[in-house]
Amino acid sequence: MRVGAAIVAMEVAALVLATSAFGMVALVVGTPVLLATVLVLVTLWATRGPRRRLQERRAALFDEDGPERGGLMSGFFEVPAR
């Protein structure tokens, strides 16, 4: 989250600099860009928990000592059930 805060801080600084150089016209472009960045960062922060839980669940299903799953010929040499 620190990187996101740094990005927002740099955008605010750029917006202030652009406003001082070009006037209020810079706010027409800069404000929607700043709001979009904040919206993306909030969305990523909100989905961090579910993504982490999904990754942990997938890691628990993988057996490192077991045979490889899938592959080019998977299912081709299956032993018929009796």
Side-chain angles (χ1 to χ4, degrees):
M1 211 53 201
R2 292 181 209 154
V3 174
I7 290 171
V8 170
M10 286 189 292
E11 281 191 19
V12 168
L15 189 58
V16 168
L17 183 67
T19 304
S20 66
F22 299 108
M24 298 301 265
V25 177
L27 294 177
V28 173
V29 175
T31 304
V33 170
L34 180 63
L35 291 176
T37 302
V38 170
L39 181 65
V40 167
L41 289 173
V42 166
T43 303
L44 288 174
W45 177 78
T47 61
R48 183 174 52 181
R51 282 186 288 134
R52 184 184 45 215
R53 285 192 299 272
L54 179 63
Q55 184 179 12
E56 289 171 357
R57 191 176 325 135
R58 287 180 178 167
L61 293 175
F62 183 70
D63 182 19
E64 293 181 8
D65 296 331
E68 292 287 329
R69 292 187 197 154
L72 184 61
M73 301 293 283
S74 66
F76 188 73
F77 294 108
E78 289 183 4
V79 177
R82 292 185 184 185

